[in-house]
Amino acid sequence: MKIHHRCSPDAVETSIHERVVQDVTRALSSIVTRDDRFVVNDSQWFIRRGSGRPTPCVMNAAKFLSQTFQRTIEDECHWEKHKELAGQEIDAYVELPGAGRKHRIPANVLFLDFFRLWCDRAAPEDVRKEFLACWHRFVQVGLSKLTETAKPFRQFFEITWAGDIPIRVGLEFETGNIASSFRALDKLETLFVTGLIDYGVFITSIDKEHAAAKIWPPSNRNGSFAELENRYYRQNRTVPLWEFGFEPDAFDHSAPYFNNTSLYKPVLTGRTVKHQDVTYDVFLRGNEKLLRRVSPQ
């Protein structure tokens, strides 16, 4: 699988960052369909429904991707899958040990003084979003060491001992449509602003051209980062995220398809059907009849 690490939270501890990237990469790389690669068969298939007219059908199950990912991240990386937090279920969750020594700004008038100076220097477009991001970064979580952007404000920071307080990371792996992607992002945002996670991870296909509309029929409208970008998905988001996009290693019409749990290939019956001067070979997928266009191409 081709993995695109799009961005990471600002000022996250190095050990936390390396662990999250390593675990997500390992879990995504476990999704394979041929040897050690994620090769997708993007041939077009049809099925006859009520009207009798052949319509495009889904050959690859999104659940195969999410279940393989969750199994690996739980069994090999020791995250908790299907974690419920305050009535919200997320795909995976982990608590990681943070650095004991922290640079923090006290949650009092000092933070307001700091934030006024910070805005003078940073000139943020969205002051509310910047306030929440700074509050999380500098007051709630703190820095294991001062970043270059924070060093000019060192007089506001105090060195504290965080003890055994863990860093909490929630993850959403989204293979549904664009509305599902926004629901997943909203879930991470809600858990962050209510103080139940410190960071989020969001994963979806990188774009339609090389991923979503090739793995599944374009009519399914599976979401992607390209579509999210067109809809300004980062507006009003304060949760600090790792973002990962994925796409297949290759496309091959001889590759197997994948259902919820395993790989498969339709079985040719030797029969054909015709609809409006188009001929189709008939295949079986279990008890289900599938059609593949023969002529005209």
Side-chain angles (χ1 to χ4, degrees):
M1 177 176 283
K2 295 179 182 176
I3 302 168
H4 302 263
H5 179 191
R6 289 168 45 90
C7 70
S8 301
D10 183 31
V12 66
E13 293 176 28
T14 301
S15 61
I16 301 292
H17 170 73
E18 290 177 349
R19 169 69 187 277
V20 170
V21 173
Q22 174 183 297
D23 288 355
V24 171
T25 301
R26 183 174 184 174
L28 286 173
S29 298
S30 72
I31 302 171
V32 297
T33 55
R34 176 182 286 172
D35 300 324
D36 60 348
R37 307 177 76 213
F38 180 44
V39 181
V40 169
N41 190 329
D42 61 338
S43 303
Q44 188 174 36
W45 290 74
F46 300 86
I47 192 168
R48 272 181 158 172
R49 304 203 184 274
S51 66
R53 178 173 61 88
T55 57
C57 69
V58 176
M59 299 297 291
N60 296 310
K63 201 169 184 179
F64 178 85
L65 277 66
S66 59
Q67 286 190 340
T68 304
F69 176 90
Q70 287 179 318
R71 184 167 57 249
T72 302
I73 208 162
E74 179 181 50
D75 295 345
E76 300 181 18
C77 305
H78 310 297
W79 292 50
E80 183 179 351
K81 67 179 182 181
H82 302 308
K83 174 70 172 179
E84 185 173 315
L85 295 169
Q88 297 276 358
E89 184 181 285
I90 54 176
D91 292 330
Y93 172 88
V94 71
E95 295 184 355
L96 301 173
R101 186 171 178 266
K102 292 285 190 177
H103 297 263
R104 282 198 178 99
I105 298 176
N108 54 26
V109 70
L110 280 182
F111 178 75
L112 297 178
D113 293 339
F114 156 80
F115 189 68
R116 280 193 290 268
L117 294 174
W118 178 269
C119 286
D120 288 343
R121 181 180 289 250
E125 292 183 8
D126 188 333
V127 174
R128 172 189 167 275
K129 180 178 178 180
E130 189 69 16
F131 182 92
L132 292 173
C134 286
W135 182 268
H136 166 264
R137 188 184 311 135
F138 302 130
V139 176
Q140 291 180 312
V141 175
L143 306 175
S144 56
K145 63 179 181 179
L146 291 181
T147 61
E148 290 302 314
T149 54
K151 282 180 180 177
F153 305 94
R154 66 174 72 246
Q155 72 271 23
F156 292 99
F157 287 86
E158 293 182 355
I159 297 177
T160 61
W161 181 257
D164 297 325
I165 299 174
I167 301 298
R168 303 158 301 171
V169 184
L171 181 149
E172 284 286 282
F173 181 16
E174 186 52 59
T175 54
N177 60 29
I178 191 67
S180 297
S181 292
F182 274 104
R183 283 195 295 270
L185 288 164
D186 286 344
K187 193 184 300 183
L188 292 173
E189 178 72 15
T190 299
L191 293 175
F192 171 69
V193 298
T194 54
L196 295 174
I197 62 172
D198 301 304
Y199 296 99
V201 179
F202 180 73
I203 307 165
T204 193
S205 58
I206 192 65
D207 59 24
K208 290 187 175 297
E209 180 183 1
H210 302 99
K214 301 276 279 182
I215 303 172
W216 303 285
S219 57
N220 270 37
R221 298 201 63 201
N222 294 75
S224 68
F225 273 112
E227 190 171 3
L228 285 168
E229 292 280 7
N230 290 337
R231 295 170 185 262
Y232 306 104
Y233 73 103
R234 286 196 179 97
Q235 277 191 332
N236 300 318
R237 308 255 175 227
T238 61
V239 55
L241 287 175
W242 283 272
E243 293 179 359
F244 295 88
F246 67 85
E247 64 174 299
D249 291 303
F251 296 94
D252 187 338
H253 288 181
S254 68
Y257 302 96
F258 41 92
N259 57 31
N260 287 344
T261 58
S262 61
L263 305 178
Y264 76 95
K265 285 190 175 181
V267 179
L268 181 64
T269 65
R271 294 185 290 111
T272 61
V273 297
K274 200 167 187 177
H275 182 79
Q276 295 182 349
D277 298 324
V278 179
T279 302
Y280 300 86
D281 279 329
V282 180
F283 289 72
L284 287 179
R285 179 173 59 183
N287 296 322
E288 189 176 39
K289 292 180 180 178
L290 302 180
L291 308 179
R292 188 164 66 182
R293 191 193 302 263
V294 179
S295 65
Q297 292 293 330

